[in-house]
Amino acid sequence: MARTTTTRRGLLSGLANGLMTLPAAVVYTGLTVVPVGYAVYYSFTQYNGIPSQAPTWVGWENYARIIADPIGDLRPAAWVTLVIAVVGAFLVNGAALGIAMLLRRTTAFNTFARAVMFYPHVLSALIVGFLWQAILGPQGAVNNLLENAGQSTLPFLADPDWALVTLVGVIVWAQFGVQLVLYLAGLQAVSPELQEAARLDGANGPQVFRHVTWPALAPTVTVTIVTSILSLLKVYDVVLGLTNGGPGDATQTWAYEILAVSFANNKVGLACAQAVLLVVVAGILSFTIIALRRRAEEGAEAVG
Amino acid sequence: MSTTFLRRARGAVVLGMTPVLALAACGSEGGSGDAAGDGSIRMLVNITDNLTQAKWEELVKPFEDESGIDVKIEGPSGQSVAESFPSLLAAGTAPDVIESIVPGPDTAPEVLDLTEYDWASGTPMADLYSTDGTINVVGVGMQAQSLMYYNADLFAEAGITEPPTTWDELDDALAALAAKDVATPIAFASDWATGVQVQEIWHPQQNVTTPGWQQSVADGSSTLGDQFQPVFEHVTDWIDAGYTTADDVATDSGTQEANFIAGDVGIYPMGSWFSTTLAASPPDFEVGVFAPPVDDAADAPGPMGATLAFPYMVWKGTANPDGATALVEYLTTDEAAIAAQAEMDSFSREGLEPSSNEYAGMVQELSDAAPSYVVPGNQTVGDYALPVAGFNPKFTELVQGLWQGRSPADVAGDLTAWYEAEKLG
Amino acid sequence: MTRTTPIRTAFRVGLVAVLSIAMLVPMYIMVVNAFKPQQEILLSPLGFDLATLTTDHIAAAWQNTSFPVVEGYAVTLFLVLACNVVAIGASVPAAYTIARTPTPLFRFLLFFFVAGMFVPAQIILVPAIFVLKALGLMGTLPGLVLFMSSTMIPFTLFIFSGYIRMLPRSLDEAASIDGAGRQRILWTIVFPLMRPIVATAFILNALSAWNDFVSPQLILGPGSQFRTITTGVYAAVSTYTTNYEIVFPTLLLAVVPILLIFVLMQRHIMGGLSAGAVKG
C-alpha cells in the first residue's frame, strides 16, 4: 500500500516536472528540432520548396554534389568560411585579450574605453557592413582621401584577396567587444595575491602573464573561442552589406551559399544538405575544442 | 493528492504557456497571408528610382475605382522580386500578381495559363515569350537591352566621328578615348549589372553567329562556354588595356550612372531604362546611343536583345483569379494604363506615341532599325529558355573573374561545367 | 601593479586613446557625411563646410517609405521584449526542474536543449518556414517571435540551470516543508535570486533579437506591413550602396537611438554580460 503510494507519488511528481519543462520543450522542439529534422529529410531529396510540387528522394546525391563539387563553387565558400572562422577567431581573441590587459583596472577612462570598444556590437552586422562599404568602397571615404592626396586608390573591396582581408577586419572590429567583456570578467577572477606572489619571486610582467594569468584564464579562453567560432561560421549579414559576396565569389561564405545562392535558386534540397553539414561541422569543432581545452582548464583549477 | 497535482500541473502549464498562447491569439490578426480573403489583390512589383510606390499606386487607382477591388502594392523586401518570389512560394504567401520577372523552370507550373484569354495573345512579344504556344506571362511593350550610351563630347574630343559598328572599330574608339585620358572609357558595374552588360553587348553578334543560341545550348549542339568565350576575350583585352578596372565591378550601377552623367565615362552599355534616368537628370554634354558591334560591317546592325517591358504573371494559388487576371488585362491593354507605364519606364509598342524624352527617342530609332528582336540569356523564358535556374547571378560571378585576371577560356569552361551540373532533367 | 611607472601608465593611456579613436572614426565619418551633399562627401570625406551642411538628406531618409524609422524601432523593440518574455518565461521553470531533478531523464533533457546551441539559427530558417506555414504563423509577428525565442531557449536554459544548481537546495526545501507549492517556490523564492543571470540572458537575447536580419527578412516577407530596423535599412540601402546621400543618413537614423540606449545603459549592459560570464 505504502509502496504504491510512493510509486504513484513519484510518477505524479515526474509528470509535474515534465509539465514544468513543457513550454520550453514545445517551442524549442517545434521551431528548432523539427526544422532540423525537416532539413535532414530534405537534404536527401531534390526539392524546389514549392508546396504544390513534391520532393523526390535522391539519397546521398546532394551530399555527393557538395563533396565532389563538380563546378568548383562550394570549395571556395568552404575555404572563405574556414579563413573567417580560424583567422577571425584568432584575431578576435587576440585583440580582446590584449585590450582587456590594457583596460583591466576600473578607472573612469578605462570604463569609457571599454564602452568604445564594445559599441560596434550593438549595431547590427548588416549596418556595419553597409557602413564599411561606404568607407572602403572604390569611391568610399578612404579611397577619396587617397585620390585627393594624389595617391593611387586601394582595392579594399575590388580585389578578391583584399576583399577577404577587409571582411575579416570588419568582422573583428565589430565582434571583439563581446569577447573583451568576457576576458575582463575572467581577469577579475584571477587572484591578485598569486600575481603579487609571483612578482615577489622575481617574475617580470610577461612571466607573470604566462605562468599565472594565462592559465587562470583557461576556462574563459575556452568559452570565448567556442562562442566566436560558432558565430563566425555563420557569417552572412555583414557579407551582404559589405560585398554581397563579390568580387566574383571571393567573399561568399557557406551561409551566403545556403541563403543567397541555393535557396534563392529554389534548390531547397541542396540548401538543406549544406545546412546539415554546417551544423555537423560546428558541433564537431566545438566539442573538439572543448575536449582539447579540458587539460588547460584542469591546469587552471590547480592554479586558481 | 491528485487535486494538488492537477492544480500544480495546471499552474505550471498555464504560467509557462501564457506568452505562447497570448502570441498565438494575436496571430490571426497580424497575418497577411490570407489578405486575399477580402477580395483585395496583392501585387509584388519592382521598386526603383523610376518606379516608385506612389507611381504604382497611381497606376492601379483607375482599376480600383472601376472594379471596386483593392490593389495592394508590395515592394520586394530584398534586392529584387526574383529573390523574394521563391521564398514567398515556399511560404505559401505568394502575391496574386507578380511584376518584373518571367516564369522559370521551377516557377512556370505555379503561374496561371493565360492562353485562353483573347487579350493575352494580342500583347507585345507574346509569341517570343510563350512556351509551346502557352502564354503565362504578358507585358506592355518591348524594352531594348543591347544599347551603348556614349558621351558624344568625349567622342568628338577623341576624334571619333562615327559611332563604331564593328568590334574592331569599337576597340579603336576605346583606344582613342583612353589616349584622351578619359577616366573610364567603358563602364561596367557591380552585382547583377556585370552579367547583364556583358551579355547585352554580345547579343547582336551572338545571334548572327548562332540564331536561337539558347536552343542550340539546350539540345547540346553548342555549349554556354563556346557561346560566350569570344565576348570574354574582347572584355579581357579591354581590361588588359586598362579601359575598365576591377574597381568598376565593385561599384554599383547607380554610381556608374552618376559617373556617366558627370562626364567621366566614354561608353556605358545599359538597357533602355537608362534613358529614363538620363531624362530625369540630363547631363550637360551630348549623349548618343549606338547598337553593340558585330564582326562584319555588312551584318550591322545585328539582332537587338530585347526584353518584355512590365512582365506580369498571375499566381495559380490566388484566391481571386478573376480579379487578378482583370488587373493584368487592364495593365496590359488599357491605353491610359499603357501610357502611364511608358511614363514610368520607357518602352516601345506599336501604336504608342513616341516618348517626348529625347534619349528614349534615340533608343526607339535603334530598336526600329534592328532586323529582329532576340530574348537575352538572363531572361530565359518560353521556347528560348535555358533549362537552368540562376543563370545571371552565376554568369555575373564568373565573368567578374575576368577582372581578377582569370583567362577567358577558364571562365568559359566554368560556365559550361556549371550548366552541365545544374541543367534540369 | 605596484611597479607601474608613470611612463608605462602614459604609454598605456596613449595606446588606449589611439585605439579608441580608431574605433570611433567610422562613427565620425557617418555622422559628418549624413549632413553633406554627395559631391562634397566624395571630395572631402572627413572634413565639413559649415556653409553647405544640410539636413535635407536626413529629412529624405526620415520620409523614405522603405524604412519607416519610428515603426521600425517600435517593431524591433517589441521583438526584443516579446522574445525575452517567451524565452525567459519558458526557460525558468524548465531550468529549475532540470537543475533540481537529478535523474538520467532530466540530464538527457538538458543535453537535448544544449545541443540547440550548436545549431545556427539562420541556417534552419528554410525548414522552419515550412513549420511556421503549417501552423499558419508564416508572415506574422507571433511566428517570428516564436522562431527567434526557440533559438534563444538553449542558451538561456543552459545558463539558468547552471545558476540554479549553485543556489542552496535548503532554500526551496525549507519552503516546501512550509507547504508552498512548486510554482510558488519557483517564482517567489528562486526567481528573485536569479536576477543577475536573468539580466545577463535578457541582454544577450536582446542583442541577438535587435541585430537579427535574416529571420525577420524571410519570415515577415514583403507581404507584411512590419519592418524591423535591419530589414528597413536593407530595403532602403541595398540597391543604393554607393549613393552616400542615402547610405549615411539612413544608417545614422538607424543607429542613433540604439547608441543612445547603449550610452545610457552601458554600465548595466556590460556589467550584466560580465556577471553572467563569471557565474555562468
Side-chain angles (χ1 to χ4, degrees):
Chain A
M1 189 66 195
R3 213 162 134 202
T4 36
T5 320
T6 332
T7 330
R8 223 177 122 209
R9 198 179 199 159
L11 204 69
L12 282 175
S13 88
L15 263 173
N17 284 340
L19 285 170
M20 298 271 279
T21 59
L22 196 64
V26 165
V27 176
Y28 169 72
T29 307
L31 289 160
T32 298
V33 180
V34 172
V36 168
Y38 263 110
V40 172
Y41 165 62
Y42 286 139
S43 75
F44 292 103
T45 68
Q46 192 179 54
Y47 184 40
N48 58 18
I50 298 170
S52 62
Q53 300 171 31
T56 6
W57 185 264
V58 294
W60 292 93
E61 199 177 278
N62 289 319
Y63 291 96
R65 154 91 176 74
I66 295 170
I67 289 159
D69 195 22
I71 49 175
D73 55 345
L74 297 177
R75 257 175 230 162
W79 170 246
V80 166
T81 311
L82 191 75
V83 167
I84 291 173
V86 174
V87 180
F90 188 76
L91 292 177
V92 162
N93 283 287
L97 179 57
I99 293 172
M101 293 299 291
L102 287 176
L103 298 179
R104 59 190 300 187
R105 271 191 294 164
T106 309
T107 62
F109 176 70
N110 281 358
T111 309
F112 166 78
R114 287 174 192 172
V116 168
M117 303 294 164
F118 184 81
Y119 89 90
H121 193 77
V122 303
L123 316 178
S124 65
L126 183 77
I127 290 176
V128 166
F130 282 130
L131 178 58
W132 282 100
Q133 202 278 341
I135 293 173
L136 297 175
Q139 299 195 350
V142 172
N143 276 326
N144 273 310
L145 277 183
L146 289 172
E147 212 163 78
N148 296 340
Q151 309 278 316
S152 59
T153 58
L154 295 173
F156 294 109
L157 302 175
D159 176 89
D161 297 331
W162 280 74
L164 183 55
V165 172
T166 306
L167 176 62
V168 172
V170 168
I171 291 170
V172 172
W173 179 84
Q175 289 215 339
F176 82 87
V178 182
Q179 320 295 356
L180 170 69
V181 174
L182 297 179
Y183 277 116
L184 284 169
L187 283 174
Q188 306 299 318
V190 179
S191 133
E193 293 83 17
L194 215 58
Q195 291 175 318
E196 198 52 34
R199 274 205 192 84
L200 290 175
D201 287 348
N204 62 20
Q207 284 170 329
V208 173
F209 178 80
R210 215 183 122 212
H211 296 289
V212 180
T213 317
W214 176 249
L217 278 178
T220 312
V221 173
T222 309
V223 171
T224 53
I225 290 181
V226 172
T227 54
S228 51
I229 285 188
L230 279 180
S231 74
L232 290 168
L233 280 176
K234 56 178 188 186
V235 162
Y236 173 71
D237 301 5
V238 67
V239 175
L240 212 56
L242 190 69
T243 61
N244 200 13
D249 62 353
T251 53
Q252 291 185 0
T253 61
W254 197 256
Y256 186 94
E257 282 286 342
I258 295 173
L259 290 166
V261 181
S262 300
F263 183 57
N265 286 319
N266 296 44
K267 292 193 186 107
V268 170
L270 182 62
C272 285
Q274 290 168 317
V276 168
L277 278 184
L278 184 63
V279 172
V280 170
V281 168
I284 291 176
L285 263 181
S286 310
F287 283 111
T288 313
I289 293 167
I290 291 169
L292 287 177
R293 294 288 308 167
R294 188 157 290 162
R295 233 182 46 180
E297 283 182 40
E298 278 158 10
E301 272 153 37
V303 173
Chain B
M1 181 73 220
S2 62
T3 34
T4 333
F5 162 72
L6 278 178
R7 192 163 45 80
R8 285 177 190 172
R10 216 183 308 125
V13 173
V14 168
L15 263 168
M17 292 300 273
T18 304
V20 182
L21 291 173
L23 277 167
C26 61
S28 43
E29 307 154 32
S32 58
D34 52 352
D38 56 7
S40 69
I41 294 174
R42 293 165 56 214
M43 179 159 82
L44 181 67
V45 301
N46 189 17
I47 300 226
T48 67
D49 282 348
N50 298 332
L51 313 167
T52 60
Q53 178 102 18
K55 285 190 193 166
W56 280 112
E57 272 160 14
E58 209 175 299
L59 172 66
V60 298
K61 186 87 181 35
F63 173 81
E64 289 179 300
D65 294 344
E66 177 87 2
S67 64
I69 298 175
D70 183 28
V71 180
K72 291 190 177 122
I73 301 290
E74 292 172 7
S77 54
Q79 267 182 314
S80 63
V81 173
E83 256 177 73
S84 314
F85 191 50
S87 59
L88 289 171
L89 276 177
T93 53
D96 305 293
V97 177
I98 306 99
E99 187 268 351
S100 100
I101 54 171
V102 295
D106 289 316
T107 50
E110 302 302 312
V111 297
L112 211 61
D113 181 355
L114 300 172
T115 322
E116 56 174 294
Y117 298 95
D118 289 338
W119 56 266
S121 52
T123 56
M125 298 179 87
D127 47 343
L128 263 186
Y129 275 75
S130 65
T131 315
D132 290 333
T134 303
I135 300 171
N136 49 17
V137 55
V138 291
V140 286
M142 190 276 290
Q143 280 188 315
Q145 273 226 351
S146 301
L147 299 169
M148 315 278 267
Y149 295 84
Y150 67 96
N151 182 327
D153 290 11
L154 290 178
F155 266 45
E157 274 173 48
I160 310 162
T161 47
E162 281 288 308
T165 53
T166 67
W167 281 94
D168 290 340
E169 285 172 24
L170 178 59
D171 287 344
D172 293 343
L174 289 170
L177 288 167
K180 280 281 161 198
D181 286 331
V182 172
T184 310
I186 183 164
F188 289 88
S190 65
D191 296 334
W192 57 272
T194 327
V196 167
Q197 287 178 297
V198 171
Q199 288 173 58
E200 71 193 18
I201 61 174
W202 189 234
H203 291 142
Q205 181 56 43
Q206 184 179 21
N207 284 285
V208 167
T209 316
T210 323
W213 63 272
Q214 289 97 333
Q215 290 167 338
S216 302
V217 170
D219 69 22
S221 59
S222 176
T223 67
L224 266 188
D226 289 347
Q227 282 299 321
F228 286 98
Q229 188 165 346
V231 71
F232 293 164
E233 279 160 10
H234 287 298
V235 171
T236 304
D237 290 344
W238 298 343
I239 296 165
D240 291 344
Y243 304 153
T244 169
T245 66
D247 278 356
D248 287 351
V249 291
T251 306
D252 72 64
S253 56
T255 306
Q256 289 296 37
E257 286 165 10
N259 291 342
F260 180 86
I261 291 167
D264 297 332
V265 172
I267 301 171
Y268 185 54
M270 193 39 70
S272 66
W273 53 88
F274 183 48
S275 65
T276 313
T277 313
L278 283 171
S281 48
D284 52 13
F285 53 83
E286 199 190 316
V287 175
V289 191
F290 64 94
V294 286
D295 289 340
D296 182 349
D299 294 327
M304 167 75 74
T307 52
L308 192 57
F310 293 90
Y312 294 101
M313 317 188 288
V314 178
W315 180 42
K316 220 179 218 171
T318 175
N320 188 355
D322 294 337
T325 41
L327 172 62
V328 173
E329 179 182 2
Y330 169 79
L331 289 168
T332 54
T333 59
D334 183 90
E335 270 178 37
I338 293 165
Q341 289 169 91
E343 281 295 306
M344 290 159 72
D345 199 357
S346 68
F347 55 82
S348 60
R349 176 181 178 129
E350 233 172 285
L352 181 72
E353 285 286 303
S355 163
S356 55
N357 163 358
E358 60 163 314
Y359 306 103
M362 288 189 276
V363 170
Q364 181 71 54
E365 269 175 46
L366 279 182
S367 315
D368 292 345
S372 61
Y373 299 137
V374 292
V375 177
N378 62 345
Q379 273 219 335
T380 57
V381 64
D383 297 335
Y384 293 93
L386 283 175
V388 65
F391 174 68
N392 195 53
K394 192 67 194 179
F395 185 88
T396 299
E397 180 194 307
L398 288 173
V399 86
Q400 285 183 350
L402 295 174
W403 275 265
Q404 318 300 348
R406 297 201 65 208
S407 79
D410 286 353
V411 174
D414 283 0
L415 194 58
T416 303
W418 171 77
Y419 174 80
E420 290 303 324
E422 301 290 298
K423 70 177 174 195
L424 302 162
Chain C
M1 307 201 176
T2 44
R3 294 196 305 185
T4 39
T5 60
I7 300 171
R8 285 182 70 175
T9 312
F11 174 74
R12 181 177 292 215
V13 168
L15 186 61
V16 170
V18 169
L19 285 172
S20 303
I21 289 168
M23 293 300 291
L24 289 171
V25 164
M27 275 301 113
Y28 170 78
I29 292 177
M30 183 178 74
V31 173
V32 170
N33 288 323
F35 298 94
K36 296 195 317 205
Q38 174 92 356
Q39 206 48 38
E40 221 171 300
I41 297 173
L42 294 180
L43 281 176
S44 73
L46 295 187
F48 57 93
D49 178 357
L50 282 176
T52 55
L53 287 187
T54 165
T55 53
D56 291 358
H57 307 303
I58 291 273
W62 180 264
Q63 279 153 12
N64 187 341
T65 47
S66 331
F67 176 35
V69 182
V70 178
E71 288 162 50
Y73 261 90
V75 170
T76 314
L77 274 174
F78 167 79
L79 284 180
V80 164
L81 295 177
C83 292
N84 264 309
V85 167
V86 176
I88 294 177
S91 294
V92 168
Y96 176 67
T97 314
I98 287 171
R100 288 288 189 250
T101 322
T103 63
L105 177 69
F106 282 88
R107 224 170 294 145
F108 169 77
L109 205 58
L110 179 65
F111 178 77
F112 171 71
F113 277 111
V114 167
M117 282 163 58
F118 301 99
V119 179
Q122 31 175 280
I123 303 304
I124 53 157
L125 244 177
V126 176
I129 287 174
F130 298 107
V131 175
L132 286 172
K133 204 189 78 195
L135 295 174
L137 290 174
M138 188 61 197
T140 68
L141 275 184
L144 179 60
V145 169
L146 283 183
F147 175 73
M148 288 165 69
S149 309
S150 94
T151 66
M152 294 169 181
I153 284 176
F155 183 73
T156 310
L157 194 144
F158 175 65
I159 57 173
F160 281 4
S161 72
Y163 193 88
I164 294 171
R165 209 164 282 159
M166 295 193 324
L167 295 175
R169 232 167 200 283
S170 49
L171 273 177
D172 23 328
E173 270 161 11
S176 169
I177 290 162
D178 289 347
R182 229 184 149 81
Q183 287 290 338
R184 246 187 70 201
I185 298 173
L186 172 58
W187 294 106
T188 58
I189 298 174
V190 178
F191 188 66
L193 292 172
M194 290 171 64
R195 213 141 93 207
I197 201 74
V198 169
T200 305
F202 182 89
I203 291 160
L204 282 170
N205 291 342
L207 282 173
S208 87
W210 186 271
N211 292 330
D212 199 351
F213 162 67
V214 186
S215 319
Q217 175 79 359
L218 280 181
I219 292 179
L220 291 180
S224 171
Q225 68 270 45
F226 299 115
R227 285 273 160 86
T228 68
I229 295 168
T230 47
T231 62
V233 164
Y234 186 68
V237 166
S238 63
T239 45
Y240 309 98
T241 49
T242 47
N243 184 340
Y244 301 129
E245 281 176 357
I246 294 178
V247 175
F248 286 119
T250 307
L251 295 186
L252 184 67
L253 289 181
V255 305
V256 161
I258 182 68
L259 283 180
L260 283 180
I261 295 175
F262 174 65
V263 169
L264 292 176
M265 306 277 293
Q266 181 265 121
R267 264 192 29 220
H268 301 281
I269 292 174
M270 294 176 62
L273 281 184
S274 50
V278 174
K279 282 152 193 153

